[in-house]
């Protein structure tokens, strides 16, 4: 297949590759279920990931009950949850940990990454580079069909004896090694999810390198494509160590090895039978070697989306496009050498910790550059406050809060007090929730007309935006104060510790905000489905934007473009002086 | 310092090195605030000033300004200062030079699901041998009392007592999974990794009494239920009651139901009380289903209090031996 795709790439794009021909007379199954079309796969990923996102959010809504009203029975659904989670309607400690671990796992590996890469990446990247499909369409299909079982295995673990994994999304051994069967399911699920990402990442890299339309040099690529490009490399290089680590932990659990089990463990006053000789910290190194790059996998596509939306709605070129690209490349590179800043409290000496502090401070510089460039892009603009633009605009200050609060965590001395407190939870959620998720919403509102041929409703969009903006800050802002006061993360009983009692009021406020945040997603859901069927019809280029996806009909047919576009200029030629209109699409030759 | 030891910002600091950590945290947060507000003003200005208006076009090119370069370089320089000026020196001062053995109080903290136990070497200053095969529910650490003479005077306690104004050197260990030895009031945190022994040290500079005085409040005895339902209970009286005449309850008595009944019978409706334990050793690393409950009271004793506590512990050991 690969030779075929490469041949197709070399042959140019003027004809529809013969590999797709069977689609013309293919069955419903081949068109909608086992499709190799990047758009169908993108939509499959998006819908699946949005469902997982809602589910992961739901788990947190249950946990927030326990955190607001410790040990009160959960109203409405308390009786419906299984024995592994609740006892007489009250969430148990084990149940709390299980929900927490699954919340993190689902959000990171089954919601955000699949949405950002599998969904947006798959749908938009081939369009933006002017390709008819991904380089390896069947590999692409395989990636989704490995992802889905991985996700289903994770969900199935809720029905296992002892419930699902409960050792955090980080699954530190020995705790995870001695945990109930759900942990085995977690590991198997993770192996599927990782495999799926690896298949996807190869595909993105080849597509971006090989399948660009004539005239589309690397430095004419929209920033979104660059972001996906760097992301694909991160996935490709960072996931294998975690996959290996996952297999090792699986062996520890089922085959009696002890890669992560040291000598002489005594569990519940009984000598543990593990042979010993392993190192629990080895897991942490392998895990964070993935998981730090992973956080950039979560944020880079978001930055990409926000950049596209900002360029189209400020009606001017992104400020410092090249510095954005270099910053993304540098971020990608640096993200491989900061991982141990998650492990400062494991007993690190000055030399090692100094190294990781330096790299962590260095990595914050490109983040500052990206943010500065995007903010300066508003200067001299003619800002059109569309709904996607509002989400993109709100993204910037909230991402800034996320990035800034990384500083005290990246310095060992201040991390002593803040590590493993709610401050950390506030920090990374500002990056991934008010950050990435807002960017995802911006992307959905922005590309919805391309995907469905219809516009989303603006009024519902405004309601969705403003209330989400208020409540999401209500959820995460108090966490900094709680963490500062010393309140620890992963606490089933928020009042168990002296220093946490004084912030219980804030904790309750977080819960209220979270429930309200859930409620204000209803306008979005209504808007989403109603617009699919009865939204106002969208033209080919409703935002009057410049990048190649707007050269395709809305929605694009199989094969994407009626005629393969030729690229004439850079990605963001807005408000070019002397031009008739305030945008010059990449796919249109300019009058001399 | 005033107000209550615990609130919605940093708790009171009770250790020698903690003050520097706190100032570092303060400096960083001022820096963050200035950056955020600076960016914010510019951003909001743009949002308002450059909104779409009929007849005005966006600028294709911005006049070349160097302001952003200066800002970025400024940020980099300041981060360099935070790093090399504050954090690294602080960390190396705090982490590389342990207090000399003759000047410090030694103790080992051993984590298990879901408790901390503290092993003091006793009068001879030597830790007795710990043997995992001897571990049982009555000998939680597997202390070899019969085989090792150094073990005879060792103290094993579920409470951590440390003397005020003396260096404390704690070896951190774990029996089973990873825990994290954390004392928010001391700005101390160190993971307890099974198979490893990592030391931390700190010098308590504020006593439990001082904390307790600041945490004392009036409690009404009329409606004791909510008070005593709280698992945090563990309040003690801060004064003798009644103030004049023969007291029915003494300063330091636990405010349990029996005491409350006596007080009510003597016509006393409100008392001044405070938690017995005013600082805690908690576990900061998820270690299983009761992780949240894994904590031990920490007492920063005056030298007299500390000696008295040790004597009492040794007395218990004598009883054990008989
Ligand atoms: C501006 C640069 C950033 C710096 C300096 C930074 C620094 C840190 C540090 C030092 C920690 C460990 C804190 C601790 O456990 O004590 C941390 C945690 C975390 N950060 Fe960042 N960070 C930055 C940006 C990001 C970004 C862009 C993301 C993307 C999503 C992110 C996501 C996370 C996550 C998920 C955790 C928590 C991991 C866990 O313990 O479960 N951070 N960050
Ligand atoms: Cu990191
Ligand atoms: Cu714990």
């Amino acid at each position: 297949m690969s030779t075929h795709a490469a041949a197709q790439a070399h042959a140019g794009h003027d004809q529809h590759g013969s590999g797709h021909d069977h689609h013309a007379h293919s069955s419903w199954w081949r068109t909608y279920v086992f499709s190799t079309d990047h758009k169908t796969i993108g939509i499959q990923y998006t819908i699946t990931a949005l469902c997982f996102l809602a589910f992961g959010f739901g788990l947190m809504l249950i946990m927030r009950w326990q955190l607001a009203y410790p040990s009160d029975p959960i109203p409405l659904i308390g009786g419906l949850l299984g024995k592994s989670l609740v006892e007489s309607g009250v969430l148990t400690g084990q149940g709390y940990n299980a929900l927490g671990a699954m919340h993190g796992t689902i959000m990171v590996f089954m919601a955000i990454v699949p949405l950002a890469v599998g969904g947006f990446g798959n749908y938009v990247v081939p369009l933006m580079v002017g390709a008819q499909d991904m380089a390896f369409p069947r590999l692409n299909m395989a990636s989704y069909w490995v992802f889905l079982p991985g996700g289903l295995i994770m969900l199935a673990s809720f029905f296992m004896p002892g419930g699902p994994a409960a050792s955090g999304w980080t699954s530190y051994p020995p705790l995870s090694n001695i945990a109930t069967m759900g942990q085995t399911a977690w590991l198997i699920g993770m192996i599927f999810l990782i495999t799926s990402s690896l298949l996807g990442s190869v595909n993105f890299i080849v597509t971006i390198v090989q399948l660009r339309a004539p005239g589309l040099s690397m430095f004419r690529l929209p920033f979104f494509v660059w972001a996906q490009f760097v992301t694909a490399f991160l996935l490709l290089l960072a996931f294998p160590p975690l996959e290996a680590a996952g297999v090792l932990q699986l062996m520890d659990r089922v085959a009696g090895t002890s890669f992560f089990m040291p000598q002489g463990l005594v569990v519940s006053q009984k000598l543990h039978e593990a042979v010993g000789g392993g190192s629990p910290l080895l897991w942490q190194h392998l895990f964070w070697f993935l998981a730090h790059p992973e956080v950039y996998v979560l944020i880079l596509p978001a930055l990409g989306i926000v950049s596209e939306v900002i360029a189209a709605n400020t009606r001017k070129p992104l400020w410092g496009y090249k510095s954005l690209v270099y910053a993304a490349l540098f971020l990608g590179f640096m993200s491989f050498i900061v991982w141990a800043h998650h492990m400062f409290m494991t007993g690190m000496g000055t030399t090692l910790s100094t190294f990781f502090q330096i790299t962590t401070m260095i990595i914050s510089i490109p983040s500052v550059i990206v943010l500065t460039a995007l903010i300066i892009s508003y200067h001299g603009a003619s800002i059109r406050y569309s709904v996607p633009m509002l989400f993109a605009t709100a993204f910037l200050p909230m991402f800034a809060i996320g990035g800034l609060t990384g500083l005290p965590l990246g310095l060992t001395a201040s991390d002593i007090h803040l590590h493993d407190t709610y401050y950390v939870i506030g920090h990374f959620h500002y990056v991934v929730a008010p950050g990435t998720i807002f960017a995802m919403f911006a992307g959905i509102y922005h590309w919805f007309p391309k995907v469905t041929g219809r516009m989303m409703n603006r009024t519902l969009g405004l309601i969705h935006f403003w209330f989400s903006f208020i409540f999401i800050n209500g959820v995460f802002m108090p966490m900094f104060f709680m963490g500062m006061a010393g309140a620890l993360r992963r606490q089933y009983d928020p009042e168990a510790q002296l220093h946490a009692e004084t912030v219980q009021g804030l904790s309750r406020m977080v819960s209220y905000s979270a429930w309200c945040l859930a409620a204000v997603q209803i306008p979005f859901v209504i808007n989403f489905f109603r617009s699919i069927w009865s939204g106002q019809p969208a033209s080919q280029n409703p935002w009057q934007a410049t990048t190649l996806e707007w050269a395709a009909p809305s929605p694009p047919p199989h094969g994407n473009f009626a005629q393969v576009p030729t690229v004439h200029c850079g990605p963001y030629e807005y408000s070019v002086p002397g031009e008739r209109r305030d945008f010059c699409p990449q796919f249109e030759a300019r009058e001399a | 310092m005033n107000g209550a030891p615990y609130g919605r910002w940093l708790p009171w600091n009770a250790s020698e090195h903690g003050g520097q950590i706190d100032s570092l945290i303060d400096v960083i947060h001022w820096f963050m605030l200035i950056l955020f507000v600076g960016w914010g003003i510019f951003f909001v200005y743009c949002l308002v000033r450059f909104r779409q208006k009929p007849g005005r076009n966006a600028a294709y090119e911005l006049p070349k300004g160097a302001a952003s370069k200066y800002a970025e370089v400024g940020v980099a320089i300041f981060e360099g200062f935070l790093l090399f000026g504050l954090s690294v020196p602080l960390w190396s001062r705090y982490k590389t030079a342990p207090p000399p053995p003759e000047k410090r109080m030694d103790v080992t903290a051993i984590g298990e699901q879901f408790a901390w136990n503290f092993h003091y070497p006793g009068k001879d200053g030597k830790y007795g041998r710990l043997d995992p095969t001897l571990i049982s529910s009555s000998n939680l650490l597997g202390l070899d009392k019969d085989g090792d003479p150094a073990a005879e005077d060792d103290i094993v306690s579920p409470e951590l007592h440390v003397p005020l104004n003396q260096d404390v050197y704690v070896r951190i260990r774990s029996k089973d999974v990873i825990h994290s030895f954390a004392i928010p009031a001391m700005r101390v945190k160190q993971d307890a990794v099974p198979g490893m022994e990592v030391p931390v040290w700190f010098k308590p500079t504020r006593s439990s009494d001082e904390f307790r005085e600041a945490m004392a409040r009036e409690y009404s005895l009329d409606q004791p239920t909510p008070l005593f339902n709280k698992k945090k209970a563990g309040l003690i009286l801060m004064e003798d009651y009644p103030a004049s005449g023969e007291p029915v309850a003494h300063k330091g008595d636990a405010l349990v139901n029996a005491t409350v009944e006596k007080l009510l019978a003597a016509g006393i409706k409100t008392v001044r009380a405070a938690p017995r334990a005013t600082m805690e050793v908690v576990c900061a690393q998820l270690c299983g289903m009761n992780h949240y409950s894994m904590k031990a009271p920490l007492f920063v004793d005056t030298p007299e209090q500390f000696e008295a506590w040790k004597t009492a512990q040794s007395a218990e050991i004598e009883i054990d031996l008989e």
Side-chain angles (χ1 to χ4, degrees):
Chain A
M1 184 180 72
S2 62
T3 44
H4 166 76
Q8 183 198 337
H10 286 300
H13 308 273
D14 42 358
Q15 64 182 32
H16 192 178
S18 58
H20 298 299
D21 276 358
H22 58 273
H23 277 278
H25 40 81
S26 62
S27 62
W28 181 87
W29 281 97
R30 298 296 286 176
T31 317
Y32 294 105
V33 185
F34 295 105
S35 168
T36 54
D37 186 311
H38 73 99
K39 297 184 293 299
T40 311
I41 298 171
I43 292 171
Q44 288 173 327
Y45 259 118
T46 304
I47 302 293
T48 318
L50 285 174
C51 292
F52 284 143
L53 187 71
F55 184 72
F57 187 33
L59 299 184
M60 185 41 75
L61 297 178
I62 300 174
M63 297 168 71
R64 288 302 334 170
W65 177 265
Q66 166 66 21
L67 294 174
Y69 302 103
S71 306
D72 281 3
I74 307 167
L76 306 177
I77 54 167
L80 304 177
L81 300 174
K83 272 223 229 11
S84 61
L85 301 175
V86 297
E87 248 163 49
S88 46
V90 180
L91 193 61
T92 59
Q94 177 72 18
Y96 180 87
N97 290 348
L99 294 187
M102 294 312 282
H103 165 78
T105 306
I106 289 173
M107 287 311 209
V108 172
F109 298 108
M110 291 157 61
I112 304 290
V113 176
L115 186 57
V117 179
F120 284 102
N122 249 315
Y123 198 99
V124 179
V125 166
L127 285 167
M128 273 191 171
V129 301
Q132 293 164 341
D133 205 322
M134 293 289 260
F136 309 123
R138 264 179 279 177
L139 203 60
N140 203 14
M141 178 178 87
S143 151
Y144 177 78
W145 288 105
V146 176
F147 160 69
L148 189 64
L152 294 178
I153 291 170
M154 289 287 183
L155 294 190
S157 71
F158 275 91
F159 301 99
M160 295 194 135
S167 310
W169 77 288
T170 49
S171 280
Y172 283 3
L175 180 63
S176 54
N177 272 11
I178 60 174
T180 54
M181 235 167 84
Q183 183 66 24
T184 304
W186 187 90
L187 289 164
I188 296 173
M190 281 303 293
I191 290 170
F192 274 87
L193 295 174
I194 295 171
T195 307
S196 150
S197 280
L198 287 176
L199 296 179
S201 63
V202 181
N203 218 341
F204 278 102
I205 295 172
V206 177
T207 303
I208 295 170
V209 172
Q210 291 288 326
L211 299 190
R212 279 171 287 125
L216 187 57
S217 61
M218 286 304 271
F219 275 108
R220 283 181 174 181
L221 283 176
F223 183 63
F224 177 77
V225 178
W226 272 108
Q228 290 283 349
F229 190 57
V230 177
T231 302
F233 272 102
L234 296 184
L235 288 173
L236 186 65
L237 299 177
F239 257 140
L242 184 65
E243 183 139 28
V247 173
L248 296 186
Q249 194 181 108
L250 193 63
M251 291 303 112
D252 272 11
R253 290 181 54 86
V254 301
T257 58
S258 62
F259 291 104
F260 304 123
M261 299 291 267
Q263 216 84 46
L265 287 192
V266 181
V267 179
S268 310
Q269 322 309 351
K270 273 210 268 321
L271 214 51
H272 195 266
E273 71 272 15
V275 287
S279 156
L281 288 189
L282 173 62
W283 167 269
Q284 295 190 20
H285 282 290
L286 292 172
F287 181 86
W288 287 113
F289 186 81
L290 155 92
H292 190 87
E294 174 80 5
V295 306
Y296 287 91
V297 169
L298 301 175
I299 196 65
L300 278 170
L303 288 169
I305 293 173
V306 164
S307 305
E308 298 309 316
V309 173
I310 290 178
N313 289 284
T314 51
R315 315 305 296 161
K316 64 189 279 291
L318 278 186
W319 192 83
Y321 163 78
K322 279 209 173 162
S323 58
L324 279 175
V325 171
Y326 290 130
L329 290 169
F330 188 59
L331 269 180
F333 172 74
M334 288 302 294
S335 71
F336 283 102
I337 46 173
V338 298
W339 79 90
H341 67 203
H342 297 270
M343 300 167 60
F344 283 147
M345 297 306 132
T346 53
M348 220 183 263
T350 307
T351 319
L352 205 57
S353 76
T354 304
F355 174 78
F356 283 104
Q357 287 183 83
I358 294 175
T359 55
T360 303
M361 290 303 114
I362 291 178
I363 204 173
S364 70
I365 304 291
S367 314
V368 171
I369 292 177
V370 170
L371 204 60
T372 312
L374 291 178
I375 289 178
I376 295 182
S377 295
Y378 284 74
H379 197 269
S382 172
I383 305 169
R384 175 177 66 196
Y385 285 112
S386 61
V387 176
M389 183 59 167
L390 289 172
F391 276 99
T393 302
F395 166 92
L396 295 177
M398 298 196 290
F399 173 66
I401 294 176
L404 286 171
T405 49
L407 282 181
L409 300 175
L411 297 169
T412 46
S414 34
D415 192 43
I416 294 176
H417 182 63
L418 298 173
H419 177 69
D420 267 328
T421 65
Y422 265 92
Y423 196 94
V424 176
I425 310 293
H427 154 67
F428 72 77
H429 279 93
Y430 259 96
V431 189
V432 282
T436 301
I437 293 180
F438 261 50
M440 296 296 137
F441 278 130
I444 290 175
Y445 283 99
H446 185 67
W447 281 306
F448 189 91
K450 178 54 57 190
V451 178
T452 63
R454 292 177 186 279
M455 306 296 285
M456 289 181 81
N457 180 284
R458 178 172 163 87
T459 313
L460 285 173
L462 288 178
I463 297 175
H464 177 220
F465 168 74
W466 282 108
F467 285 106
S468 296
F469 180 63
I470 294 169
F471 292 127
I472 207 160
N473 283 291
V475 172
F476 296 114
M477 187 56 77
M479 293 187 181
F480 294 123
F481 296 89
M482 296 169 62
M484 205 55 102
L488 297 170
R489 63 191 291 199
R490 296 175 170 169
Q491 295 288 309
Y492 163 66
D493 183 343
E495 292 175 308
Q497 298 172 354
L498 263 182
H499 53 266
E501 273 171 49
T502 45
V503 291
Q504 179 54 18
L506 291 178
S507 173
R508 203 167 277 187
M509 178 184 153
V510 170
S511 292
Y512 295 150
S513 303
W515 299 324
C516 292
L517 183 61
V520 298
Q521 301 315 301
I522 293 171
F524 171 74
V525 176
I526 294 175
N527 197 356
F528 190 86
F529 286 107
R530 226 179 52 174
S531 304
I532 292 181
W533 316 124
S534 61
Q536 201 192 346
S539 65
Q540 179 189 317
N541 189 0
W543 307 114
Q544 305 189 297
T546 50
T547 42
L548 286 189
E549 76 273 29
W550 307 106
S554 307
H558 188 62
N560 292 344
F561 301 96
Q563 201 183 13
V564 171
T566 307
V567 173
H568 302 277
C569 58
Y572 306 117
E573 293 294 289
Y574 289 98
S575 303
V576 181
E579 285 293 322
R580 181 168 51 83
R581 299 168 308 181
D582 73 348
F583 67 111
C584 304
Q586 283 186 294
F587 44 87
E588 284 177 19
R590 248 175 268 174
E591 305 106 72
Chain B
M1 269 194 222
N2 43 33
Y6 302 105
R8 292 187 184 161
W9 198 248
L10 292 170
W12 276 12
N13 162 47
S15 71
E16 193 179 55
H17 72 281
Q20 291 162 310
I21 292 181
D22 291 2
S23 1
L24 176 62
I25 290 180
D26 283 346
V27 172
I28 299 175
H29 281 85
W30 279 114
F31 171 64
M32 284 155 57
L33 194 69
I34 291 168
L35 268 186
F36 189 74
V37 171
W39 269 333
I41 291 172
F42 174 75
F43 191 46
V44 171
Y45 163 78
C46 289
L47 294 185
V48 177
R49 167 78 175 70
F50 298 112
R51 66 191 187 280
Q52 200 171 41
K53 283 199 209 95
R56 194 178 52 94
N57 274 341
Y60 179 67
E61 272 176 309
L62 285 184
K64 283 254 179 314
S68 70
K69 281 274 160 349
Y70 290 131
E72 280 156 14
V73 172
V75 168
I77 291 174
F78 196 77
E79 283 184 2
F81 162 70
L82 288 176
L83 180 58
F84 294 108
L86 300 176
S87 183
V88 172
L90 180 48
W91 181 264
S92 69
R93 216 177 319 139
Y94 171 53
K95 287 283 179 183
T96 45
E102 64 282 2
K103 283 176 64 185
R104 72 193 189 204
M105 202 276 301
D106 269 273
V107 59
T108 304
I110 301 177
E112 68 177 58
Q113 290 175 324
F114 299 95
W116 290 109
N117 283 293
F118 303 98
H119 180 192
Y120 292 78
K123 285 197 235 26
D124 62 357
K126 288 205 198 87
Y127 284 112
R129 201 171 71 88
L130 299 185
D131 179 352
T133 59
L134 295 179
I135 288 178
S136 67
S137 50
S138 58
N139 185 1
L140 289 172
L141 303 184
L143 187 59
D144 188 5
K145 284 212 168 158
D146 302 324
D148 183 1
E152 264 168 34
D153 60 350
D154 287 15
I155 297 172
V156 174
S157 159
E159 294 184 346
L160 179 59
H161 282 252
V162 297
L164 182 63
N165 288 326
Q166 189 189 341
D167 287 306
V168 180
Y169 185 84
V170 194
R171 289 162 223 248
I172 315 285
R173 297 174 51 171
S174 166
K175 277 161 71 172
D176 40 34
V177 302
I178 300 180
H179 303 275
S180 186
F181 176 90
I183 311 174
M186 296 289 168
R187 310 296 188 264
V188 167
K189 197 168 281 154
Q190 170 59 51
D191 288 358
V193 183
M196 282 169 69
E197 183 180 273
V198 186
V200 285
W201 49 90
F202 57 94
K203 187 176 192 174
T205 52
R206 314 181 78 166
S207 68
S208 290
D209 289 340
E210 189 183 345
F211 267 59
R212 199 173 293 122
E213 196 49 55
M215 289 167 84
R217 295 204 280 116
E218 299 282 329
Y219 288 90
S220 158
L221 300 181
D222 283 345
Q223 297 144 316
T225 336
L227 184 63
F228 300 109
N229 276 346
K230 287 263 176 211
K231 52 236 134 190
K232 62 190 176 197
L235 293 171
I236 59 171
L237 292 175
M238 294 299 286
E239 283 151 35
D240 289 348
Y241 287 97
S244 51
E246 184 62 14
V248 298
H250 296 271
K251 177 173 178 183
D253 282 358
L255 203 53
V256 292
N257 285 334
T259 320
V260 173
E261 274 158 29
K262 271 192 266 171
L263 288 164
L264 285 173
I268 293 160
K269 295 240 159 48
T270 61
V271 292
R272 218 162 68 84
R276 184 173 96 90
T278 56
M279 303 179 207
E280 282 171 349
V281 177
V282 293
C283 172
Q285 184 64 265
L286 181 65
C287 59
M289 62 180 174
N290 293 336
H291 162 58
Y292 68 95
S293 66
M294 179 165 169
K295 56 172 187 169
L298 163 66
F299 296 92
V300 179
D301 294 339
T302 59
E304 305 79 61
Q305 289 169 331
F306 188 56
E307 285 312 316
W309 175 75
K310 277 200 293 196
T311 315
Q313 293 296 311
S314 310
E316 266 175 43
I317 293 173
E318 307 288 287
I319 295 168
D320 275 2
L321 289 179
E322 273 156 28

